[in-house]
Amino acid sequence: MQIAQNSVVAFHYTLTNDAGEVLDSSEGREPLTYLHGAGNIIPGLEKELEGREAGDKLNVKVTPEEGYGEVQEQLVQEVPRDAFQGVEGIEPGMQFQAQTQGGPLMVTVKSVEGDTVIVDGNHPLAGQHLNFDVEIATVREASQEETEHGHVHGEGGVEH
């Protein structure tokens, strides 16, 4: 069966950046399972998996525009340290959920300079090319319930 709209796909992957550093991998774990066409994975990877079958191996290079987007400088902001009430020892790399006009946003602490904390609301992989080595494990037709809910149920998916 070929991967198409409303296919349930399970695949193994290794994700690297342009420097060849491994950023993520399914090695030693279960394959990643998703509902094709439901926006469950980044658009550039989903587009390249279309029409593939179980057993196919491929290398996919995803641009920032089809991955996690370009870096948006307005999402890097200075915040007073006292905005982190009850948090001791704020350090780079820590993540917090910020309440913004647009709703909740995950931010990462980039640096601490005196009483000022620099936070970044961009996805950590924003602005990067993403290189995937993929092996498709299984492809099956989604159930009606999976299609209605927009995600996979059962093994590798959501249990309701």
Side-chain angles (χ1 to χ4, degrees):
M1 176 178 181
Q2 290 187 332
I3 297 173
Q5 182 75 26
N6 296 327
S7 297
V8 173
V9 181
F11 68 95
H12 285 285
Y13 68 94
T14 298
L15 169 62
T16 58
N17 60 18
D18 280 343
E21 299 168 315
V22 175
L23 303 176
D24 194 12
S25 177
S26 65
E27 187 175 331
R29 299 182 303 185
E30 293 296 314
L32 177 66
T33 304
Y34 78 100
L35 178 61
H36 193 79
N40 299 152
I41 63 173
I42 58 173
L45 180 57
E46 186 170 58
K47 181 174 76 176
E48 292 296 322
L49 294 179
E50 182 91 20
R52 304 296 182 146
E53 300 178 346
D56 285 356
K57 295 180 181 182
L58 62 150
N59 297 313
V60 177
K61 185 175 187 97
V62 177
T63 64
E65 297 81 17
E66 293 191 302
Y68 293 99
E70 294 291 350
V71 172
Q72 298 178 45
E73 293 302 327
Q74 70 271 22
L75 293 179
V76 179
Q77 298 185 352
E78 295 183 1
V79 179
R81 182 186 280 269
D82 61 14
F84 297 87
Q85 294 176 2
V87 179
E88 296 289 327
I90 299 171
E91 297 180 17
M94 294 176 85
Q95 292 188 313
F96 297 92
Q97 185 171 352
Q99 297 304 320
T100 69
Q101 291 175 342
L105 176 69
M106 286 301 296
V107 298
T108 303
V109 174
K110 290 298 180 188
S111 64
V112 180
E113 301 164 7
D115 289 332
T116 302
V117 179
I118 310 298
V119 296
D120 187 349
N122 287 287
H123 187 281
L125 298 177
Q128 294 188 43
H129 287 92
L130 306 173
N131 305 295
F132 290 90
D133 288 329
V134 175
E135 181 175 359
I136 299 168
T138 62
V139 181
R140 68 170 172 81
E141 188 174 325
S143 69
Q144 182 177 347
E145 186 178 44
E146 289 170 321
T147 302
E148 289 171 359
H149 289 189
H151 57 251
V152 177
H153 292 169
E155 189 174 332
V158 176
E159 298 288 344
H160 290 282

